[in-house]
Amino acid sequence: MKVEKFKVLLYLKKSEPDKTGKAPIMGRITLNRTMAQFSCKLSCTPGLWNARESRLNGKSREAVETNEKIERLLLAVHSAFNSLMERKKDFDAAAVRDMFQGNAGMQMTLLKLLDRHNEEMKARVGVDRAPTTMSTYVYTRRTLAEFIKTEFKVSDLAFGQLNEQFIRDYQDFCLEKKKLAMETVRHYLSILKKICRIAYKEGHSEKYHFCHFKLPKQKETTPKALSRENFEKLRDLEIPEKRRSHVITRDLFLFACYTGTAYADAVSITRENLFQDDEGSLWLKYRRKKTDYLGRVKLLPEALALIGKYRDDTRITLFPPQDYHTLRANMKSLRLMAGLSQDLVYHMEGILSPHWSRSRRECRSRPSAKCWDIAMSGPHKFTPVRPEWSLNKYFFSKKLGLGSI
């Protein structure tokens, strides 16, 4: 863009003094044949104003402080002009004013960019993003909008209005007012930093905000373990037939205990994931949904019985699909129904994980043909597995010294 004329003029609007008699200072940007006016949000005593220098005369406190603010204002205007010139696109005086003031109508704002990013993420659901991933972005947008409205009394903020204290205040807002857990807030702060990084790369922000802000450290906690007593209570729980949803939830959790599969993998595996080795044993081979790593699990009789229970040739997956939120609600109900002494969560099945391979080696001597018949036969009545088949056998007898189960 060819610039023939660029000028910033400051003048005093004496016709509208305030209650103290001070007049507001106004500004006018002239770029080639375009012009845009703006308020400097400053005022001064009319007698001190020097129209020729666009400054206040004297060395009084009012004059020194106001002149410093004027210098910073003019520097910001010229910085906005230089930034627009670097983009090598045509612009006018209004664009300089909007860039300098951080006008939401001209610039990409924080929530607007977050909305655009959320729409892009939504389009990727089912491709390379899981549906549950979207909830974190939705809740981040919701809490961020509430924080901006509460603290700044506006609906949105330009990136030029952000400072390093913003992210810390947002963190305190989520922790103290919203009563969110630190792990949850950590995800929200990570998304906020991501949006600011995108804004900087795309030229919506002149500064890479929060690049030096370190996310709170993840809290290291001891993994919860499902006790032997609670496992047996859940396994042997008699659930009424009318509560089929709870039965599916319980059996999915038991299958996770026997195989180590996550919920997302358990509801998505199909018959194509079942393989038989040279010895006739049945194996489950699948790609983990979270990491795409290949998992190989030798199926125990308990797991085979569960697969056989839910066999349905009209369904692609081995188990009926169940919404995750429904599953979580059912697991809370199962805890009460079984009288468990601890919360029931999927991470509990991990206590059995270190002993899968050894337990599976113990099962190699069992007649695998019978296991295959159980899995491939039609739906049949499910009975609790025999105690001597329990995957806990090696763990409790060898590791904890509790003797035979």
Side-chain angles (χ1 to χ4, degrees):
M1 177 180 176
K2 185 178 180 180
V3 178
E4 298 177 354
K5 180 181 180 182
F6 175 69
K7 182 179 180 181
V8 182
L9 173 67
L10 302 182
Y11 62 94
L12 210 59
K13 197 171 184 179
K14 298 181 181 180
S15 59
E16 297 182 6
D18 58 15
K19 295 181 179 179
T20 61
K22 294 183 178 181
I25 301 175
M26 305 296 293
R28 182 186 299 126
I29 299 174
T30 303
L31 176 60
N32 295 341
R33 297 185 179 183
T34 62
M35 182 181 67
Q37 294 183 331
F38 62 92
S39 172
C40 299
K41 301 187 184 304
L42 299 173
S43 58
C44 69
T45 304
L48 299 177
W49 182 251
N50 186 328
R52 182 181 181 85
E53 299 292 336
S54 295
R55 301 290 190 280
L56 272 68
N57 293 325
K59 295 185 178 297
S60 63
R61 181 175 181 178
E62 177 187 358
V64 172
E65 291 181 353
T66 304
N67 287 338
E68 288 181 355
K69 294 178 180 179
I70 290 175
E71 291 293 341
R72 290 197 294 269
L73 182 145
L74 293 176
L75 182 62
V77 173
H78 284 84
S79 177
F81 172 77
N82 293 332
S83 298
L84 291 173
M85 287 293 294
E86 291 176 357
R87 297 181 182 180
K88 298 180 180 180
K89 295 181 180 180
D90 293 341
F91 60 94
D92 55 10
V96 178
R97 178 195 60 193
D98 293 337
M99 183 75 172
F100 145 67
Q101 292 182 332
N103 188 292
M106 183 270 181
Q107 275 191 317
M108 178 67 76
T109 57
L110 177 60
L111 295 181
K112 188 186 296 185
L113 183 58
L114 181 55
D115 288 338
R116 192 198 75 182
H117 180 267
N118 288 355
E119 289 298 320
E120 294 174 354
M121 292 293 295
K122 188 176 180 180
R124 294 167 61 182
V125 170
V127 181
D128 59 353
R129 291 292 183 274
T132 52
T133 305
M134 276 302 303
S135 61
T136 305
Y137 290 91
V138 172
Y139 290 133
T140 300
R141 205 276 185 200
R142 187 178 301 173
T143 57
L144 195 56
E146 185 178 350
F147 168 69
I148 293 174
K149 188 173 183 179
T150 302
E151 299 296 326
F152 298 90
K153 311 300 180 184
V154 294
S155 60
D156 203 350
L157 287 177
F159 288 97
Q161 296 174 276
L162 301 181
N163 54 39
E164 293 303 312
Q165 188 61 31
F166 178 87
I167 193 169
R168 295 180 176 86
D169 292 340
Y170 176 55
Q171 176 180 332
D172 294 339
F173 174 82
C174 293
L175 292 174
E176 298 174 6
K177 293 188 177 181
K178 303 302 293 183
K179 305 297 182 182
L180 298 176
M182 179 58 77
E183 290 301 310
T184 302
V185 177
R186 190 176 187 276
H187 290 301
Y188 293 178
L189 298 176
S190 176
I191 293 175
L192 176 58
K193 290 188 63 175
K194 179 181 179 181
I195 297 301
C196 291
R197 182 174 68 250
I198 294 173
Y200 178 73
K201 288 183 177 180
E202 294 184 356
H204 303 304
S205 175
E206 298 303 313
K207 183 180 178 182
Y208 186 178
H209 293 287
F210 319 133
C211 61
H212 299 297
F213 177 81
K214 294 184 178 180
L215 296 175
K217 292 184 178 180
Q218 288 183 321
K219 186 178 179 181
E220 295 183 0
T221 58
T222 304
K224 297 180 181 179
L226 184 64
S227 66
R228 169 187 176 183
E229 180 183 0
N230 286 338
F231 175 80
E232 291 179 345
K233 283 183 179 180
L234 180 65
R235 182 193 63 189
D236 301 333
L237 176 65
E238 294 184 4
I239 305 174
E241 288 296 330
K242 63 179 181 179
R243 294 196 172 187
R244 177 168 173 76
S245 177
H246 289 78
V247 175
I248 295 174
T249 299
R250 190 270 306 272
D251 291 344
L252 283 172
F253 182 78
L254 291 179
F255 186 78
C257 291
Y258 297 139
T259 61
T261 54
Y263 156 78
D265 300 319
V267 296
S268 61
I269 54 178
T270 66
R271 292 184 185 87
E272 296 180 356
N273 298 114
L274 299 177
F275 296 89
Q276 198 170 19
D277 61 17
D278 296 336
E279 299 178 0
S281 300
L282 195 62
W283 289 72
L284 176 65
K285 298 182 181 180
Y286 66 99
R287 289 281 181 182
R288 286 203 64 197
K289 193 171 183 179
K290 182 177 182 180
T291 60
D292 200 39
Y293 290 163
L294 179 62
R296 299 181 181 89
V297 182
K298 187 174 183 178
L299 293 175
L300 297 173
E302 296 92 336
L304 292 168
L306 289 173
I307 293 175
K309 177 183 178 181
Y310 289 100
R311 186 189 177 190
D312 186 353
D313 294 334
T314 62
R315 189 180 60 243
I316 299 177
T317 57
L318 296 179
F319 293 96
Q322 188 171 62
D323 180 70
Y324 181 73
H325 299 288
T326 302
L327 178 134
R328 291 293 302 123
N330 288 348
M331 291 180 74
K332 293 180 180 179
S333 301
L334 288 172
R335 177 199 173 190
L336 299 177
M337 294 168 62
L340 304 185
S341 59
Q342 55 191 147
D343 292 331
L344 195 61
V345 294
Y346 249 75
H347 298 307
M348 285 178 166
E349 49 87 10
I351 184 137
L352 304 176
S353 303
H355 316 289
W356 294 335
S357 58
R358 296 180 183 178
S359 298
R360 286 194 288 272
R361 283 199 294 269
E362 289 181 359
C363 294
R364 287 189 177 182
S365 60
R366 307 189 188 279
S368 55
K370 182 179 178 181
C371 299
W372 177 268
D373 294 338
I374 293 175
M376 293 298 104
S377 62
H380 57 83
K381 183 178 180 180
F382 176 77
T383 56
V385 295
R386 296 203 302 269
E388 61 268 22
W389 279 6
S390 174
L391 184 59
N392 293 340
K393 180 176 181 179
Y394 179 87
F395 179 72
F396 289 107
S397 61
K398 303 296 184 183
K399 291 294 182 182
L400 299 184
L402 299 180
S404 179
I405 296 177

